[in-house]
């Protein structure tokens, strides 16, 4: 069953204006399914995957012959296995001058982005794809979240409903096969990730330690990154922890939300916060096997925040918007924190995330720290379990979680 992806329209738009488009993201988020849907609409497009060892060998050992056998327009799945193709693709693109020649996918971009930027600079557009958003699952129109643009005003969500969604996550297989248990799915998923991405691309001597590292990061989701603490728990050095975290980020599994930064404000904390882009995977790695137990646990607030932030990130990424220039958080050394800030059209929109149904005006207490910043301040939102949009004052409101 094909679930319409919000990113599809942006992909088609970019293919009309760039000769090469690459869709990168974690394994099994739906990249291949999306591009096969594009192929169904244009029978001239061929498809080839480098998952097959013989085809991969041809692409690596004789890129020229490979591109002769598979002429453009062409979808090349898992391009990271044969970066040798990129310089040959550049030659064909330059000779042709046409757009929409090559559609590439990559599920492990750790070593790829440098090659892409060097070989295809000015010729390629890069899209980040994540697991299904709630809007995609429910068949709703997906738009970037902004407090000014809230369409839904009421919600029938219960906290139990939300934690069931958090527990299962948004991987397409988990949505289309409701009888499949998260434990079975994500156990197989991690094995595939280790064998196909990690083992083939980097030398990890102790896979058990790498798995422990991922689990330690999942247990710290929605927190500031403290690599020294993680390295100590896993019994690795800090440089190794930093390298492994970079792998998780480039794999599309983890997102680092960076703090608001102004050089003139020295008291602002500089460490990023860490979020998993699929909450189902985060639950599995942090060893939760029951959504009700998670809901009642000390980790419930962190997982709830992870869910909200990842959904907002997806709402922007699905429109092809680079979230790094739009999203940040605020925390200073006085302990004042704002969970999320959206920068749009020169305005800062503060967002707080609360698991309760009625957090009250006290949830706005830190918004005032933005008043001394040079940007204008837009409408603020407290995303929570409220059943409807409720104004708190002239510029801020309680917002149901369904609005994201």
């Amino acid at each position: 069953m094909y679930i319409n992806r919000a990113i599809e329209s942006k992909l088609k738009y970019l293919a009309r204006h760039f000769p090469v488009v690459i869709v990168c993201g974690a394994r099994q988020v739906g990249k291949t399914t999306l591009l096969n849907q594009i192929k169904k609409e244009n029978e001239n497009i061929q498809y080839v995957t480098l998952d097959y060892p013989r085809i991969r060998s041809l692409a690596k050992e004789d890129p020229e012959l490979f591109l002769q056998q598979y002429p453009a327009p062409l979808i090349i799945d898992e391009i990271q296995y044969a970066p040798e193709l990129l310089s040959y693709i550049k030659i064909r693109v330059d000779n042709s001058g046409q757009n929409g020649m090559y559609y590439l996918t990559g599920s492990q971009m750790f070593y790829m982005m440098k090659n892409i930027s060097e070989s295809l600079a000015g010729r390629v557009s890069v899209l980040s794809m994540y697991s299904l958003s709630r809007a995609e699952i429910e068949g709703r129109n997906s738009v970037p979240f902004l407090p000014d643009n809230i369409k839904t005003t009421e919600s029938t969500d219960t906290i139990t409903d939300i934690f069931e969604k958090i527990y299962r996550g948004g991987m397409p297989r988990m949505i289309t096969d409701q009888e499949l248990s998260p434990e079975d799915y994500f156990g197989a998923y991690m094995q595939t990730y280790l064998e196909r991405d990690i083992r083939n691309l980097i030398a990890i001597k102790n896979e058990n330690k790498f798995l422990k590292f991922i689990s330690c990061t999942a247990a710290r989701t929605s927190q500031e990154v403290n690599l020294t603490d993680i390295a100590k728990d896993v019994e690795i050095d800090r440089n190794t922890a930093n390298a492994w975290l970079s792998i998780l980020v480039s794999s599309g599994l983890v997102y680092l939300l960076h703090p608001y930064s102004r050089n003139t404000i020295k008291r602002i904390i500089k460490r990023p916060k860490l979020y998993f882009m699929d909450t189902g995977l985060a639950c599995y790695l942090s060893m939760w096997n029951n959504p009700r137990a998670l809901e009642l646990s000390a980790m419930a607030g962190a997982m709830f925040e992870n869910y909200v932030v990842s959904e907002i990130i997806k709402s922007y990424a699905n429109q092809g918007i680079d979230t790094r220039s739009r999203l940040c958080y605020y925390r200073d050394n006085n302990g004042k924190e704002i969970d999320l800030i959206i920068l749009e059209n020169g305005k800062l929109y503060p967002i707080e995330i609360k698991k309760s149904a009625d957090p009250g005006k006290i949830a706005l207490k830190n918004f005032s720290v933005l008043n001394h910043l040079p940007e204008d301040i837009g409408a603020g939102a407290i995303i929570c379990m409220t059943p409807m949009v409720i104004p708190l004052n002239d510029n801020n409101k309680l917002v149901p979680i369904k609005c994201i």
Side-chain angles (χ1 to χ4, degrees), residues 118-353:
E118 290 177 353
S119 302
L120 297 172
R123 304 166 182 85
V124 63
S125 182
V126 180
L127 284 173
S128 295
M129 187 174 181
Y130 299 106
S131 60
L132 289 160
S133 68
R134 180 176 179 180
E136 290 174 313
I137 294 169
E138 296 178 353
R140 294 187 280 114
N141 186 33
S142 179
V143 296
F145 176 80
L146 203 65
D148 282 345
N149 299 333
I150 293 172
K151 304 299 182 184
T152 302
T153 58
E154 296 185 0
S155 172
T156 58
D157 286 334
T158 67
I159 194 68
T160 300
D161 295 335
I162 295 302
F163 273 89
E164 181 64 34
K165 296 179 191 300
I166 290 171
Y167 176 64
R168 290 194 69 82
M171 289 294 189
R173 181 84 180 274
M174 289 302 299
I175 302 305
T176 58
D177 187 354
Q178 288 292 311
E179 294 183 358
L180 178 61
S181 77
E183 189 169 0
D184 289 336
Y185 173 79
F186 288 112
Y189 182 92
M190 286 307 303
Q191 189 63 36
T192 302
Y193 176 66
L194 286 172
E195 290 180 355
R196 289 192 166 185
D197 288 337
I198 301 305
R199 192 178 296 161
N200 288 339
L201 293 171
I202 59 174
I204 289 184
K205 298 177 182 178
N206 192 326
E207 289 183 3
N208 288 331
K209 281 195 174 182
F210 187 76
L211 280 172
K212 186 177 180 181
F213 172 80
I214 302 176
S215 296
C216 282
T217 59
R220 290 168 169 82
T221 191
S222 304
Q223 298 180 20
E224 292 174 20
V225 175
N226 189 327
L227 285 175
T228 301
D229 283 355
I230 296 174
K232 182 179 179 180
D233 287 350
V234 184
E235 299 179 322
I236 56 177
D237 61 71
R238 193 180 187 282
N239 289 336
T240 300
N242 187 50
W244 287 2
L245 180 60
S246 296
I247 292 168
L248 298 184
V249 172
S250 62
S251 299
L253 297 183
V254 163
Y255 184 93
L256 297 182
L257 181 70
H258 289 275
Y260 175 90
S261 179
R262 284 278 177 182
N263 292 334
T264 57
I265 307 173
K266 300 187 184 300
R267 66 178 182 275
I268 292 179
I269 301 296
K270 300 298 184 183
R271 288 188 302 209
K273 290 175 70 174
L274 180 149
Y275 296 94
F276 270 73
M277 288 307 298
D278 189 84
T279 54
L281 179 60
C283 290
Y284 170 79
L285 290 170
S286 50
M287 300 183 183
W288 292 102
N289 56 16
N290 182 286
R292 180 62 175 166
L294 174 61
E295 178 190 337
L296 299 174
S297 74
M299 200 174 176
M303 280 295 185
F304 187 87
E305 180 180 333
N306 193 138
Y307 177 71
V308 171
V309 172
S310 64
E311 286 288 307
I312 292 175
I313 292 168
K314 291 174 187 179
S315 77
Y316 281 84
N318 285 342
Q319 303 302 319
I321 298 171
D322 185 356
T323 55
R324 293 172 298 179
S325 62
R326 304 293 182 96
L327 306 178
C328 62
Y329 80 99
Y330 180 98
R331 187 180 180 193
D332 59 33
N333 55 16
N334 294 322
K336 293 184 177 180
E337 180 176 354
I338 299 173
D339 292 332
L340 184 67
I341 296 174
I342 301 173
L343 177 61
E344 184 75 24
N345 297 323
K347 287 186 177 181
L348 298 177
Y349 294 84
I351 311 293
E352 274 292 304
I353 301 163

Side-chain angles (χ1 to χ4, degrees), residues 260 262 265 268 330 341 348 369-377:
Y260 175 90
R262 284 278 177 182
I265 307 173
I268 292 179
Y330 180 98
I341 296 174
L348 298 177
V369 300
L370 301 182
N371 293 335
H372 67 279
L373 301 182
E375 294 89 352
D376 293 333
I377 309 304

